[in-house]
Amino acid sequence: MPMAFSPGLLVVAGSFAAFRLLNRGLERLVPPPPSARRNRWKWRNIWTSLAHSVLSGSGALAGFYLHPEMSNDLVGTHPPGAHSLVAVSVGYFIEDFVDMLCNQKLHQSWELLFHHTVVIICFGIAVVLHQYVGFALVALLVEINSIFLHLRQILLMANLVHTTCYRLNSLINLGTYVVFRIATLAWMSRWLFLNRQNVPPVTYAVGTVGMAIMTPMNVILFYRLLRSDFLKPRREKEE
């Protein structure tokens, strides 16, 4: 039985190593602007996260487009590529967890560390058991919004806040946040509730706790983004 698990775990390990190498080489590929040189590790971290979001978000969309039957069975039906994509994401989240733990103070990163722990556990179950891969792929649709969330951070670090590019990205960021993050998490919570009789108690408990943690965290983040990008400038103009 352990041998059956090794391919997925090998993909996780390979993904961890690949994202680690990418993180180390990104400063040469994308040199930080003067405004970001005081926080070089953060610059590398955001670009690494952006690479994962593009890969996983587009991969999840392609998975449901090419295999629509997967949406009818989120537990047992999935193509091999979907399982590999979830395993790659587990490797990335482990790499990002280690990167933040080594370079950032705990009080600054505990929310993301907690988020990553929940994701690693939930996705890890899907990788090891070859079950709920479709459900994990739905969760990866969230990464479509993360693309614009990371672009926002890059523009902030590059001191490009007062540009049309930043404003446009802010609008797209909020729009995709509602569609691909809040709505997706709400749909996942609904699916768990409606299928509670078909899901083992332990898995159902893990999924329910995960959704209970993720949903309020994302609502709070949405409010922070709305306040930062749209409400504060208006108040400043009024003052």
Side-chain angles (χ1 to χ4, degrees):
M1 185 65 72
M3 290 299 292
F5 298 156
S6 57
L9 297 180
L10 284 175
V11 174
V12 171
S15 171
F16 174 86
F19 279 109
R20 199 67 182 158
L21 287 173
L22 177 64
N23 185 287
R24 296 290 178 86
L26 266 170
E27 196 164 335
R28 294 181 180 177
L29 296 173
V30 190
S35 56
R37 287 173 187 168
R38 291 179 299 176
N39 207 350
R40 292 176 180 272
W41 87 265
K42 186 65 176 177
W43 180 259
R44 297 193 305 269
N45 179 273
I46 295 171
W47 277 99
T48 305
S49 298
L50 177 61
H52 168 258
S53 294
V54 171
L55 173 65
S56 58
S58 59
L61 266 183
F64 282 108
Y65 177 77
L66 297 174
H67 303 277
E69 70 280 359
M70 188 165 50
S71 61
N72 298 321
D73 179 15
L74 297 178
V75 179
T77 301
H78 64 269
H83 181 267
S84 298
L85 184 63
V86 175
V88 165
S89 290
V90 173
Y92 158 74
F93 282 112
I94 294 174
E95 189 280 332
D96 198 45
F97 186 98
V98 172
D99 192 40
M100 286 189 292
L101 205 60
C102 294
N103 294 285
Q104 203 169 25
K105 294 179 180 179
L106 188 59
H107 74 272
Q108 295 175 314
S109 60
W110 72 268
E111 289 182 0
L112 276 176
L113 291 174
F114 188 57
H115 167 275
H116 284 17
T117 300
V118 173
V119 173
I120 291 167
I121 292 172
C122 293
F123 281 20
I125 291 174
V127 170
V128 171
L129 300 182
H130 286 258
Q131 296 274 307
Y132 311 101
V133 173
F135 191 76
L137 212 65
V138 173
L140 285 178
L141 291 174
V142 168
E143 294 299 324
I144 295 171
N145 166 251
S146 294
I147 294 171
F148 303 100
L149 205 58
H150 297 318
L151 282 174
R152 177 184 180 275
Q153 290 180 293
I154 290 169
L155 291 170
L156 280 171
M157 292 193 72
N159 270 343
L160 296 173
V161 179
H162 303 291
T163 62
T164 303
C165 184
Y166 182 88
R167 192 68 175 175
L168 179 61
N169 184 77
S170 295
L171 290 170
I172 299 173
N173 184 30
L174 282 185
T176 55
Y177 200 104
V178 173
V179 175
F180 290 105
R181 192 173 287 268
I182 294 178
T184 297
L185 290 172
W187 186 90
M188 291 170 67
S189 300
R190 178 179 177 273
W191 185 91
L192 267 178
F193 177 77
L194 294 177
N195 292 273
R196 60 190 182 280
Q197 303 297 335
N198 304 319
V199 178
V202 175
T203 306
Y204 178 75
V206 172
T208 302
V209 171
M211 291 299 100
I213 293 169
M214 297 295 185
T215 302
M217 284 181 67
N218 281 279
V219 171
I220 292 170
L221 179 56
F222 179 79
Y223 171 72
R224 289 176 180 173
L225 289 171
L226 186 65
R227 184 183 62 182
S228 176
D229 287 353
F230 294 95
L231 301 183
K232 276 189 177 180
R234 289 178 184 175
R235 290 175 185 172
E236 289 174 1
K237 286 177 182 179
E238 289 174 1
E239 290 174 0

